[in-house]
Structure formats: structure tokens, C-alpha cells
Amino acid sequence: MSERSSKPKPPPHDVVLVHGRTADGRGVRALRSRPNRLELAELRVAKEGQPLHPGGELVQLKRREESPLLWDVDVKWRGEEAAAAAAPSSGPEVTGHAGPAQVATDRYRENWEAIFGLAPGGRRPPDGGSLN
């Protein structure tokens, strides 16, 4: 066995350099270095019951001894968008259907019902529901 093969392989680096507060003062800005990537990042305290930013990750930081501004990153949870960005791409992405996203908000539904006179559940209101 050679000396090289007996050495454990070092883990891939994932490090942040904290460099200032966010505009709202509730988080910090950072420069994040991962294998083959350098990114701007925002770090905020996770709060129970509040969703993460789309594409966000839940991370644990461990301060490096050589600098108070350098932290090692341990990813505890990766959102779908973040996982897709971290995964190697094997070609063009395929969506569930052709065309734009189908999004209907509560406000959209309320306005639809007001315009077309449908009560919740698709029933006609008691007044007959005439559009004219």
C-alpha cells in the first residue's frame, strides 16, 4: 500500500467570510467559498415556524481559529432550489408541463368569484348568479 492511499482525503471546503451587517440589521453579509463556486451570501438566525428564503439552506457555523471572520459551514438542510443548484447538471431541466407556472392566489380566487359570481366550491349563489 502506498503512502498516498493510506491518507484520508480532506473534506471539501465550505467556508464563509463575514464582512458586514445586512441593510435591515437583522443578519450579516458574507462571502461563501465552496468547491468550484464563490458566492455572496446572507446569514440570518433561523426562527421556528418561519420559512427559509427560497433556495436557502440551514447551516451550522464553526469559527476557525486563525480568524474571527472565517467560519466553516456544515449544511444541515438544503432547500429544493439549493439542492438543484448544488447538484451537477446532466442537461436541460425538464418541468412538469409546458408553458408558464400555474399560480392562483387567494386574492385571484376571490376576484374570480366576484366577477363570475361563483360561490366557494363552484356553486351558483342563491340569487341565480346571472352575469348580466
Side-chain angles (χ1 to χ4, degrees):
M1 213 180 213
S2 73
E3 193 175 312
R4 277 185 152 177
S5 62
S6 64
K7 272 175 115 173
K9 187 177 178 182
H13 73 278
D14 192 348
V15 181
V16 295
L17 170 72
V18 176
H19 65 84
R21 293 215 168 268
T22 57
D24 63 5
R26 294 183 179 158
V28 293
R29 293 182 179 173
L31 187 62
R32 185 172 181 182
S33 175
R34 303 193 232 192
N36 302 320
R37 292 168 56 184
L38 189 62
E39 308 168 314
L40 291 176
E42 252 185 40
L43 303 171
R44 295 179 181 268
V45 175
K47 294 181 183 172
E48 189 173 340
Q50 290 187 350
L52 295 178
H53 185 274
E57 296 174 327
L58 185 61
V59 298
Q60 182 176 11
L61 302 178
K62 182 180 177 191
R63 187 180 300 240
R64 286 197 165 186
E65 292 180 15
E66 65 265 20
S67 171
L69 301 178
L70 283 178
W71 300 76
D72 288 315
V73 178
D74 180 17
V75 178
K76 298 296 184 183
W77 182 83
R78 185 172 275 135
E80 289 179 18
E81 291 176 21
S89 177
S90 61
E93 291 186 30
V94 177
T95 59
H97 60 85
Q102 301 296 310
V103 180
T105 63
D106 289 335
R107 185 172 179 195
Y108 175 89
R109 288 185 183 103
E110 289 168 9
N111 288 334
W112 177 275
E113 292 167 2
I115 293 168
F116 296 106
L118 296 178
R123 299 180 317 270
R124 291 272 177 209
D127 65 357
S130 173
L131 293 178
N132 293 324

